[in-house]
Amino acid sequence: MIWEWLIKSLVLILSLTTGFAYVTLMERVVLARIQVRIGPNRAGPRGILQPIADAIKLIFKEELIPTNADKFMFIVAPVITVIPALVVSAVVPWGPTLTIGNFSTPMGLADINVGVLYIMAITSISVYGITLAGWSSNNKYATLGGLRATAQMISYELALGLAFVGPVMLAGSLSINSIVEAQKTLPFILLQPVAFVIYFTASLAEINRAPFDMPEAEQELTAGYHVEYSGMKFALFFMAEYIKMITVAIIGSSLFLGGYQGPFVDQYPLLGFVYLFLKAFLWLFVIIWIRATLPRIRYDRLMALGWKVLFPIALANVLVTAVVLVLIGG
């Protein structure tokens, strides 16, 4: 039904955009707690309205376009970056099939049999937005930041893609729903711990989070590829980064932590959404914790980690998993 897809799409987009706003608040609160600071406490009780205050500030902030910039690409680049972040989680189930009387609907937007390939294809598109943002600004620092981000994302995509292969082989399907269903008795993190570590590390590099936030190295490149952006255009890049954090957490939870699986989910399907939310929340907390703990690593070491460490280990993990599955099956 078209109306059902429209409602689910609206729920997904509103959840991600609202989640983005309050993940920024969560990050500020957690960082303040870890670093023994006060944190946001002015806008609303305990700073709960801080994301709304930030949104109002960015909406009314003056937007500038450099004189010699490619104006069309400069405007389009943030949109190209944020749209893939919004649509990539469309294939992730939020819970089991929900039945109310005679009405039954799967708790998810789409269940396609190549869900993993869909995720890999969509996440690759955001590279174009970052590259175009750096190039179209006609600023050497922005260009270098865009090139850094592009090289980093392409390099770590290889290890990230191979990390997907372990759960796919164990479930025997490319569908995210099937992978989650295969974890009813045992989450794949116990069977694929190496793939989990590789996914977690590579995903941090993919979304340019600490300690892999090289495109935004303030000492070298000011603000990287979005140095010339302000107002709502900057807000779109900001939104893309935090929505990517949420989608990485949701996809990772579905691949390795059982997704919506948990006690009593069969009797109470809505519990599945709660379990997925809690797992994603924990994942986001660890991402923020890492930012508060680890320093930014040197760029050449970042690239060496991707090509010389993560990629060979991910390839070896796929090979070992395949051999073990053949031996068990035989």
Side-chain angles (χ1 to χ4, degrees):
M1 284 291 191
I2 294 178
W3 62 267
E4 184 180 334
W5 294 337
L6 289 174
I7 291 173
K8 288 180 179 178
S9 300
L10 188 62
V11 168
L12 179 62
I13 291 172
L14 289 177
S15 299
L16 289 173
T17 50
T18 306
F20 136 73
Y22 280 91
V23 167
T24 62
L25 177 62
M26 172 186 170
E27 180 163 38
R28 291 176 180 183
V29 171
V30 172
L31 288 176
R33 183 72 174 176
I34 292 173
Q35 298 167 354
V36 197
R37 295 187 289 104
I38 295 173
N41 65 349
R42 289 288 185 269
R46 302 183 69 85
I48 198 169
L49 299 180
Q50 186 64 48
I52 298 173
D54 291 339
I56 293 172
K57 178 192 75 172
L58 287 168
I59 288 170
F60 289 101
K61 195 171 183 179
E62 182 181 8
E63 296 205 21
L64 301 174
I65 298 178
T67 304
N68 296 320
D70 186 314
K71 292 182 173 56
F72 177 74
M73 287 300 178
F74 188 83
I75 294 169
V76 168
V79 180
I80 297 175
T81 306
V82 78
I83 288 178
L86 286 170
V87 303
V88 70
S89 57
V91 296
V92 178
W94 315 328
T97 301
L98 180 64
T99 303
I100 303 174
N102 295 326
F103 178 73
S104 180
T105 181
M107 289 179 65
L109 182 57
D111 177 19
I112 58 177
N113 57 2
V114 289
V116 171
L117 294 181
Y118 170 87
I119 290 171
M120 293 302 299
I122 295 297
T123 51
S124 300
I125 297 174
S126 58
V127 175
Y128 293 102
I130 289 173
T131 308
L132 290 172
W135 172 79
S136 65
S137 298
N138 195 31
N139 177 304
K140 61 183 178 182
Y141 295 111
T143 304
L144 286 172
L147 290 174
R148 271 190 172 189
T150 303
Q152 177 176 317
M153 293 171 76
I154 291 173
S155 299
Y156 279 83
E157 268 182 11
L158 296 169
L160 186 67
L162 289 171
F164 278 90
V165 177
V168 166
M169 287 196 293
L170 292 177
S173 174
L174 289 167
S175 166
I176 303 295
N177 290 55
S178 301
I179 292 173
V180 172
E181 284 294 324
Q183 299 178 72
K184 270 189 175 180
T185 55
L186 198 66
F188 285 165
I189 186 175
L190 300 177
L191 301 175
Q192 286 284 308
V194 175
F196 170 77
V197 172
I198 291 169
Y199 174 88
F200 187 85
T201 308
S203 64
L204 287 180
E206 279 291 298
I207 58 178
N208 298 322
R209 290 286 301 184
F212 305 112
D213 53 340
M214 300 307 298
E216 301 173 27
E218 294 92 347
Q219 299 90 336
E220 308 147 37
L221 301 174
T222 60
Y225 57 86
H226 54 66
V227 65
E228 297 288 1
Y229 284 88
S230 59
M232 286 307 295
K233 295 186 188 70
F234 170 77
L236 286 177
F237 282 117
F238 198 58
M239 181 189 297
E241 178 180 336
Y242 281 86
I243 290 177
K244 284 177 187 176
M245 283 174 60
I246 297 171
T247 53
V248 157
I250 292 173
I251 293 167
S253 299
S254 299
L255 289 174
F256 297 101
L257 304 181
Y260 62 78
Q261 298 290 355
F264 309 111
V265 166
D266 293 335
Q267 291 86 357
Y268 307 101
L270 288 176
L271 269 179
F273 177 79
V274 176
Y275 288 135
L276 182 60
F277 173 82
L278 292 175
K279 291 170 185 177
F281 181 86
L282 177 62
W283 195 296
L284 290 168
F285 175 80
V286 174
I287 290 176
I288 295 168
W289 188 1
I290 288 173
R291 178 181 176 182
T293 307
L294 298 180
R296 182 184 296 123
I297 67 174
R298 215 168 64 191
Y299 190 71
D300 60 321
R301 293 183 177 175
L302 176 144
M303 297 301 285
L305 176 66
W307 286 103
K308 297 179 181 180
V309 179
L310 291 185
F311 179 62
I313 292 176
L315 203 57
N317 181 68
V318 171
L319 180 62
V320 171
T321 304
V323 170
V324 170
L325 287 175
V326 168
L327 291 176
I328 292 174

